[in-house]
Amino acid sequence: MNLRSLFVVTRGWSLTITLISVTTGTAIALQDGPVSFYLYFTCLLAAVFFHAGANVLNDYFDFKYRVDTATAPTALYRPHPVFAGLAKPKELRELATVLLGGSALIGSLLACLRSFWIGPIAAFGLFIAVFYTARPVALKYKALGEPLVFLAFGPLMVEGAYAVQRGTLSWKAFYLSIPLGLLVALVLLANNLRDRTHDAGTDVRTLGTLLTKEGGMALFTALSLSSYGLILAYVALNLTSWLTLFVFLALPINLIYIREFRQKIPVGADAKISLVHLLFGILLMIALFLEKALFLV
């Protein structure tokens, strides 16, 4: 498997989510003291292995359980590893094992060397990665996908990155991880709203299939705006400086997508919301670094 195929199979474009979470946790740690770039890159590597492994395992089980087909909306939006001929199911299973095993190994080392907290965070993350789609648990198929990705890429990953640097947990890392996690959940919700007709014909249950079309869009709108509302509340409560209001520069794009999705959910729905998450995350990180530089923390 060449690098291009590996990028497609692991959904490399989605790894910006992990980059944002780990860097945010590290930026918050920087406000409390010096940070190690070696530890940052080690933590990022473990998180990337986790995310990529979870992506591969998700495609493997979705194919195995016949949730993904050659005509499913997901396969039309992006090359599915099996249907595109990039990998055989066995190769997906083996690649996922290597990636998740590597993440678990690095996480174990960081837990021993840096903080006890990394152990349970890594263990819970591994549980989510495996049993997100693996039966008999298959939490994704029980409409729990959005809460799980919120936890994995919000509180768990941001707090984990902070703990790697500082050796403990942080309330600021926790509450700033919430708007980021909500936007990751929004990415999945956009995907599930797009796939609701297809998923309704399977034994899969998602928020997209459980809610009406109007109810799904109401939740989509609420999640879209809640991240900005939280930042506004944090500033009002003096939990963060006014600089974190920079994230509102991403709001116009968010509003454009809300209007577009009300007309019709686009094929590339999750990619569009991933862009919102990326912009929001970059603006939040800029604010955090400026807070440190301007001695506002």
Side-chain angles (χ1 to χ4, degrees):
M1 188 182 298
N2 57 39
L3 287 178
R4 181 182 178 280
S5 296
L6 184 64
F7 181 83
V8 174
V9 168
T10 58
R11 295 184 235 168
W13 58 84
S14 71
L15 299 179
T16 56
I17 291 174
T18 289
L19 177 64
I20 293 294
S21 295
V22 172
T23 308
T24 298
T26 306
I28 297 168
L30 179 63
Q31 294 185 341
D32 295 335
V35 300
S36 165
F37 285 101
Y38 295 107
L39 288 175
Y40 166 73
F41 285 116
T42 303
C43 179
L44 182 61
L45 182 63
V48 165
F49 279 3
F50 159 78
H51 190 175
N55 284 344
V56 174
L57 201 60
N58 179 64
D59 277 341
Y60 168 74
F61 283 120
D62 276 352
F63 173 81
K64 180 180 179 180
Y65 301 145
R66 299 184 180 179
V67 175
D68 282 348
T69 64
T71 58
T74 296
L76 299 177
Y77 156 62
R78 63 174 175 88
H80 189 284
V82 177
F83 299 120
L86 297 174
K88 297 177 181 178
K90 179 183 177 182
E91 293 173 325
L92 290 181
R93 187 177 68 243
E94 292 172 348
L95 177 59
T97 301
V98 170
L99 289 169
L100 292 176
S103 179
L105 177 61
I106 297 172
S108 298
L109 290 173
L110 288 173
C112 293
L113 297 174
R114 299 300 303 164
S115 171
F116 156 82
W117 292 107
I118 298 170
I121 288 174
F124 190 34
L126 184 62
F127 174 84
I128 292 175
V130 174
F131 292 106
Y132 186 71
T133 43
R135 287 177 174 162
V137 182
L139 297 167
K140 170 189 170 183
Y141 305 149
K142 296 178 174 66
L144 292 173
E146 284 84 357
L148 290 174
V149 298
F150 162 78
L151 286 173
F153 297 101
L156 290 180
M157 197 168 284
V158 176
E159 283 281 19
Y162 182 94
V164 165
Q165 298 291 340
R166 299 267 72 87
T168 187
L169 302 182
S170 159
W171 277 114
K172 186 170 185 176
F174 174 74
Y175 60 72
L176 280 178
S177 73
I178 295 175
L180 288 177
L182 289 175
L183 286 176
V184 180
L186 187 67
V187 173
L188 182 59
L189 179 62
N191 178 82
N192 288 336
L193 292 177
R194 180 197 63 202
D195 294 352
R196 67 191 303 270
T197 301
H198 170 78
D199 290 341
T202 69
D203 62 351
V204 172
R205 295 294 172 264
T206 69
L207 290 181
T209 64
L210 294 180
L211 297 171
T212 63
K213 183 178 179 180
E214 293 73 20
M217 274 310 305
L219 178 60
F220 178 86
T221 303
L223 279 180
S224 294
L225 301 179
S226 60
S227 293
Y228 302 94
L230 282 171
I231 293 297
L232 196 59
Y234 295 161
V235 173
L237 294 170
N238 204 31
L239 295 175
T240 62
S241 77
W242 62 269
L243 289 169
T244 53
L245 295 175
F246 282 178
V247 300
F248 276 79
L249 293 174
L251 181 58
I253 297 177
N254 221 150
L255 295 175
I256 289 171
Y257 288 153
I258 291 173
R259 187 163 56 248
E260 178 185 353
F261 281 40
R262 284 177 176 168
Q263 306 272 329
K264 181 183 179 182
I265 308 294
V267 174
D270 42 358
K272 290 183 180 239
I273 304 306
S274 292
L275 175 61
V276 174
H277 172 272
L278 178 62
L279 292 175
F280 186 101
I282 289 174
L283 291 166
L284 179 60
M285 288 189 297
I286 290 173
L288 292 172
F289 286 126
L290 284 176
E291 282 182 347
K292 175 69 174 180
L294 298 176
F295 303 100
L296 297 179
V297 291

